[in-house]
């Protein structure tokens, strides 16, 4: 009797010791897929830095589990993003997929999220339709129509009637063109020409020559984060500003990551966007200072904020679900309302898309550095693309 008691006590002891190690090893895994090399590496660098800052500030344990951040470079090739996502889901059994630096990368992965019921937090890509590609997508970046419509409302009241549009020829560029043109036309303005340039390594010269000949009041541009500097340089070289053509666009063209290196041609450029590193709030000042300190002075751009807020959405959902996954984790992401470095931010439970302020900004020199200075706020903007 005594011996049997002893044996079963030993068994219980062994089992709980085993369970103890299992619990200690239980992890909450975040698979972060980003372009870390190639032409869009600045997006990957910004988002990875923001995710690491979030973890440093909020701890590496959440919902009782140890956080494991697995960062993978997809080189901005959609088939690579998709393969990595598959591996992260099947082999690593991640609780959540995150990142997605460009629209085609997010769209390639959406079916994997749906099939495996894995929440997919889109921190960068911004074509309106991405949230409809899978019910597991939650977006913390922005949607291009939010910015495009806001600018098209500002333009006709500020002496600009005739506009030529120039966009990258893929999802976000087409959204930027379509929603700007529709709204400007509705507001009594005119888009006299729509130009589309290749997404990768565009040569703007022939397009800019055409714009010069058309002599519009303004040239409205969307190019993805990182490509704005080349556009700005060629705009100046062709003397477009001297010819009286104003440059306007979504804030992607005056990206905080490279704005300071663009020089005087960027000074005075008016854009619309959801984030500026000079956004005037105590929370943003703290965020920018901490980000710059942790990254050798690198200024955070809107990609960093998409990554930082994405981590917040993931952490809060992990807390609510005690490190959960699948539908439970997804549901805990929906409806989150909080203050972001960008301002107030809301994840609409119906659309799983971000609702936030859009600001009209002008590039100005502050303390010898170029910044997007916000001067007008359109509050709580939902994606106008969702009403179509
Ligand atoms: C996108 O591919 O969706 C994208 C990339 C960069 C941006 C905006 C949108 O700045």
């Amino acid at each position: 009797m005594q011996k049997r008691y002893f044996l079963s006590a030993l068994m219980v002891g062994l089992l709980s010791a085993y369970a103890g190690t299992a619990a200690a090893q239980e992890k909450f895994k975040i698979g972060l897929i980003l372009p870390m090399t190639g032409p869009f590496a600045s997006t990957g660098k910004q988002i990875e830095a923001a995710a690491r800052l979030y973890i440093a500030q909020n701890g590496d344990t959440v919902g009782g589990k140890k956080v494991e951040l697995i960062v993978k470079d997809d080189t901005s090739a959609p088939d690579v993003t998709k393969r990595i996502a598959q591996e992260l889901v099947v082999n690593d059994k991640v609780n959540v997929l995150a990142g997605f630096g460009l629209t085609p990368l997010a769209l390639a992965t959406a079916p994997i999220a749906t099939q495996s019921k894995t929440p997919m937090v889109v921190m960068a890509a911004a074509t309106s339709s991405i949230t409809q590609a899978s019910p597991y997508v939650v977006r913390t970046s922005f949607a291009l129509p939010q910015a495009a419509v806001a600018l098209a409302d500002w333009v006709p009241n500020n002496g600009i009637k005739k506009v030529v549009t120039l966009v990258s020829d893929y999802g976000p560029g087409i959204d930027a063109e379509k929603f700007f043109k529709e709204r400007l036309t509705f507001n009594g303005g005119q888009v006299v020409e729509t130009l589309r340039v290749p997404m990768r390594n565009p040569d703007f010269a022939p397009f800019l020559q055409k714009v010069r000949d058309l002599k519009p009041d303004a040239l409205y541009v969307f190019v993805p984060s990182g490509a704005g500097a080349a556009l700005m340089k060629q705009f100046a070289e062709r003397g477009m500003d001297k010819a009286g053509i104003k440059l306007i666009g979504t804030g992607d063209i005056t990206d905080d990551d490279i704005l300071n290196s663009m020089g005087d041609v960027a000074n005075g450029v008016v854009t619309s966007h959801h984030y500026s590193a000079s956004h005037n709030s105590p929370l943003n000042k703290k965020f920018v200072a901490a980000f710059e300190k942790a990254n050798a002075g690198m200024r955070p751009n809107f990609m960093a904020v998409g990554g930082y807020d994405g981590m917040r959405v993931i952490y809060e959902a992990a807390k609510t679900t005690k490190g959960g996954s699948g539908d439970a984790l997804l549901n805990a992401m929906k409806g989150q309302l909080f203050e972001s470095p960008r301002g107030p931010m809301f994840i609409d439970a119906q659309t799983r898309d971000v609702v936030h302020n859009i600001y009209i900004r002008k590039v100005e020199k502050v303390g010898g550095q170029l910044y997007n200075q916000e001067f007008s706020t359109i509050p709580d903007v939902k994606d106008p693309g969702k009403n179509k």
Side-chain angles (χ1 to χ4, degrees):
M1 190 69 193
Q2 256 199 340
K3 194 171 162 201
R4 263 174 69 192
Y5 173 78
F6 174 75
L7 271 180
S8 56
L10 186 70
M11 285 299 284
V12 169
L14 280 175
L15 273 174
S16 53
Y18 176 76
T21 21
Q25 282 173 350
E26 239 192 310
K27 285 184 177 158
F28 184 83
K29 295 186 184 177
I30 304 169
L32 186 59
I33 316 176
L34 294 167
M36 299 304 301
T37 52
F40 301 101
S42 70
T43 295
K45 204 170 141 197
Q46 287 270 345
I47 293 180
E48 183 186 1
R52 295 205 185 281
L53 176 64
Y54 192 90
I55 295 172
Q57 290 176 335
N58 294 276
D60 64 354
T61 308
V62 72
K65 294 185 179 171
K66 182 102 179 144
V67 174
E68 188 182 350
L69 183 72
I70 308 171
V71 181
K72 298 275 183 188
D73 177 15
D74 64 11
T75 70
S76 77
D79 52 328
V80 179
T81 319
K82 187 175 179 181
R83 178 178 51 71
I84 292 172
Q86 228 149 7
E87 288 167 4
L88 286 170
V89 165
V90 175
N91 301 341
D92 297 288
K93 304 199 169 36
V94 293
N95 298 66
V96 54
L97 292 165
F100 309 104
L102 296 166
T103 289
L105 314 179
L107 291 179
T109 309
I112 310 275
T114 306
Q115 284 153 25
S116 65
K117 297 185 188 294
T118 307
M120 169 175 163
V121 177
V122 174
M123 296 170 160
T127 301
S128 175
S129 64
I130 290 172
T131 47
Q132 282 144 329
S134 166
Y136 289 86
V137 167
V138 171
R139 175 154 49 196
T140 61
S141 50
F142 75 111
L144 250 307
Q146 293 174 320
V149 166
L151 193 62
D153 283 341
W154 180 84
V155 155
N157 297 324
N158 290 277
I160 298 170
K161 293 278 181 288
K162 267 174 57 180
V163 180
V164 172
T165 64
L166 186 153
V167 301
S168 289
D169 192 5
Y170 78 116
I174 292 165
D175 273 358
E177 174 194 290
K178 176 171 175 271
F179 284 86
F180 179 83
K181 184 177 174 182
E182 269 180 27
R183 187 67 158 228
L184 184 64
T185 309
F186 174 81
N187 287 337
Q190 203 188 352
V191 169
V192 292
E193 183 79 80
T194 55
L195 304 171
R196 295 180 183 179
V197 298
M199 174 194 155
R200 288 177 196 266
N201 306 315
D203 176 10
F204 296 109
F207 296 95
L208 291 176
Q209 189 53 50
K210 195 153 185 204
V211 176
R212 235 198 125 135
D213 297 342
L214 287 163
K215 291 198 179 57
D217 300 321
L219 172 65
Y220 161 87
V221 180
F222 165 83
V223 290
S225 174
L231 178 271
M232 216 56 92
K233 187 163 170 274
Q234 293 189 28
F235 188 86
E237 278 167 7
R238 311 225 135 225
M240 311 278 288
D241 45 347
K242 306 226 164 45
I245 301 169
K246 289 197 180 78
L247 181 63
I248 56 173
T250 62
D252 309 76
I253 62 169
T254 54
D255 177 348
D256 270 303
D257 192 47
I258 48 176
L259 176 59
N260 220 8
S261 64
M262 287 180 186
D264 279 346
V265 63
N267 212 343
V269 171
V270 172
T271 58
S272 56
H273 231 207
H274 56 289
Y275 181 69
S276 165
S278 74
H279 178 67
N280 192 9
S281 75
L283 181 71
N284 185 51
K285 289 199 165 87
K286 226 179 98 194
F287 167 70
V288 173
F291 189 95
E292 289 184 344
K293 185 162 178 238
N295 296 286
M298 178 167 73
R299 192 195 288 182
N301 69 358
F302 61 96
M303 294 300 185
V305 162
Y308 192 75
D309 292 336
M311 289 297 288
R312 194 271 180 199
V313 167
I314 293 169
Y315 258 56
E316 290 304 315
K319 277 185 208 164
T320 310
T321 59
K322 303 213 169 14
S325 59
D327 287 310
L329 188 67
L330 175 75
N331 288 333
M333 292 181 181
K334 295 179 185 173
Q336 285 192 30
L337 173 69
F338 57 98
E339 193 196 347
S340 148
R342 72 184 82 183
M345 163 156 172
F346 173 53
I347 302 293
D348 185 320
Q350 257 73 51
T351 60
R352 293 162 279 101
D353 213 344
V354 55
V355 178
H356 52 192
N357 296 346
I358 296 292
Y359 307 91
I360 311 293
R361 315 95 50 86
K362 188 177 198 167
V363 176
E364 284 168 9
K365 258 198 181 138
V366 183
Q369 309 244 329
L370 293 173
Y371 278 99
N372 294 293
Q373 294 295 92
E374 296 168 349
F375 62 86
S376 169
T377 304
I378 303 101
D380 304 330
V381 180
K382 280 191 171 197
D383 175 15
K386 295 298 185 299
N387 303 325
K388 300 268 151 178

